[in-house]
Amino acid sequence: MDLAFAEAEAAALRGEVPIGAVIVDRSGTVIAAAGNRTLELKDPTAHAEMLAIREACAKFGSERLTSCDIHVTLEPCPMCATAISFARLRRVYFAASDEKGGGIEHGPRIFAQPTCHHRPDVYGGIGERRAAEMLRNFFAVRRN
Amino acid sequence: MDLAFAEAEAAALRGEVPIGAVIVDRSGTVIAAAGNRTLELKDPTAHAEMLAIREACAKFGSERLTSCDIHVTLEPCPMCATAISFARLRRVYFAASDEKGGGIEHGPRIFAQPTCHHRPDVYGGIGERRAAEMLRNFFAVRRN
């Protein structure tokens, strides 16, 4: 999760909403790491999780990441939660939960849908305070 | 929608699930067209809609497609429906509805969620029979 936080900090320095994601394999080796790049890439799908999933799939040459876990600094949105399910990721660890935009514990609760075909194990609240503070600081500066 | 069907047919010829998507601007000019490429690109996020959104955003140099509509041969999944909302697409036209994997009229009904910040107008059932038949034929051949 530390590397995910570093990616989130790097995203903030680029002027992006500070969210970072890291994908590790069964042994804990980092396969992919990314921060949010929606503004830089002018791409509304360029969330940290999506970029990390695409990078990991490209490395493995497979659209499935069955033996991998993803660590994210914020509860994934419904787009990313669905992509996590499609990629067959084994576990999702996230820091802050997201009442307004989250798609796992909030909103459409993607993995709880009967039409969801792969439900990873979910562990929330890993470093929650740090992630929430980072987002709060980012938006506080923006609003001034 | 005819061009979306042509993209779906081209996807089938590549061995992909036959789904096509086209984004047009207010005047009806085609901005982006794509078929499903998840297997070819080894990318579980490479659905037709996602590729079309990314192509259109790249063309406009903007992560918002406020004045554009998307035509898809199958009801978008929750990932694509969320991306459509993020991209601020104005209207979604789709052909066949998708009880098992759809995310607009089925499953998480993304646009009906209180946490959904942009709800495009939705028009389903445009050429439903043609799209359903195309998918049925594709899977029938695969299962033999």
Side-chain angles (χ1 to χ4, degrees):
Chain A
M1 189 62 88
D2 276 340
L3 183 52
F5 275 107
E7 287 287 347
E9 275 157 19
L13 292 176
R14 293 191 303 266
E16 305 272 359
V17 176
I19 301 166
V22 173
I23 292 173
V24 298
D25 71 9
R26 200 181 289 269
S27 71
T29 304
V30 172
I31 306 300
N36 183 25
R37 288 186 186 268
T38 52
L39 298 178
E40 177 192 341
L41 301 179
K42 311 285 186 204
D43 177 358
T45 76
H47 285 192
E49 302 94 310
M50 301 293 276
L51 297 177
I53 287 171
R54 290 170 54 202
E55 186 186 332
C57 287
K59 269 199 190 157
F60 282 142
S62 165
E63 73 278 18
R64 304 231 166 148
L65 301 169
T66 317
S67 63
C68 295
D69 305 332
I70 188 165
H71 298 254
V72 200
T73 57
L74 187 69
E75 178 186 348
C77 78
M79 173 180 73
C80 294
T82 309
I84 286 167
S85 173
F86 286 159
R88 303 288 191 274
L89 280 155
R90 192 175 57 154
R91 294 179 190 146
V92 181
Y93 297 88
F94 67 84
S97 61
D98 184 2
E99 272 182 43
K100 286 186 190 169
I104 294 178
E105 292 184 343
H106 299 92
R109 296 171 198 271
I110 293 295
F111 304 146
Q113 294 291 335
T115 48
C116 179
H117 302 302
H118 169 77
R119 298 177 175 83
D121 296 328
V122 175
Y123 304 87
I126 319 286
E128 172 131 36
R129 189 178 300 179
R130 184 175 169 192
E133 202 168 304
M134 189 186 283
L135 283 159
R136 221 169 14 243
N137 290 343
F138 178 80
F139 286 110
V141 170
R142 298 264 131 178
R143 283 190 192 114
N144 285 339
Chain B
M1 189 62 88
D2 275 340
L3 183 52
F5 274 107
E7 286 288 348
E9 275 158 20
L13 292 176
R14 295 191 302 266
E16 305 273 358
V17 177
I19 302 168
V22 173
I23 291 174
V24 298
D25 70 9
R26 202 182 288 272
S27 71
T29 304
V30 172
I31 306 300
N36 182 27
R37 288 187 186 269
T38 53
L39 299 177
E40 177 192 341
L41 300 179
K42 312 284 186 204
D43 177 358
T45 76
H47 285 192
E49 301 93 312
M50 302 293 275
L51 297 177
I53 288 170
R54 290 172 54 203
E55 186 186 333
C57 287
K59 270 198 190 160
F60 282 141
S62 165
E63 74 278 17
R64 304 228 166 152
L65 302 169
T66 317
S67 62
C68 295
D69 304 332
I70 189 165
H71 297 254
V72 200
T73 57
L74 187 69
E75 178 185 350
C77 78
M79 174 180 73
C80 294
T82 308
I84 286 168
S85 173
F86 287 158
R88 302 289 191 272
L89 280 155
R90 193 175 57 155
R91 294 180 189 145
V92 181
Y93 298 88
F94 67 83
S97 61
D98 184 3
E99 271 183 44
K100 287 187 188 167
I104 294 178
E105 293 184 342
H106 299 93
R109 296 173 199 270
I110 292 296
F111 304 146
Q113 294 291 335
T115 49
C116 179
H117 302 302
H118 170 77
R119 298 176 174 83
D121 297 328
V122 175
Y123 304 87
I126 318 284
E128 172 131 37
R129 189 178 301 178
R130 184 174 168 191
E133 201 167 304
M134 190 187 282
L135 284 158
R136 221 169 14 244
N137 289 344
F138 179 79
F139 285 111
V141 169
R142 297 266 133 174
R143 282 190 193 116
N144 284 340

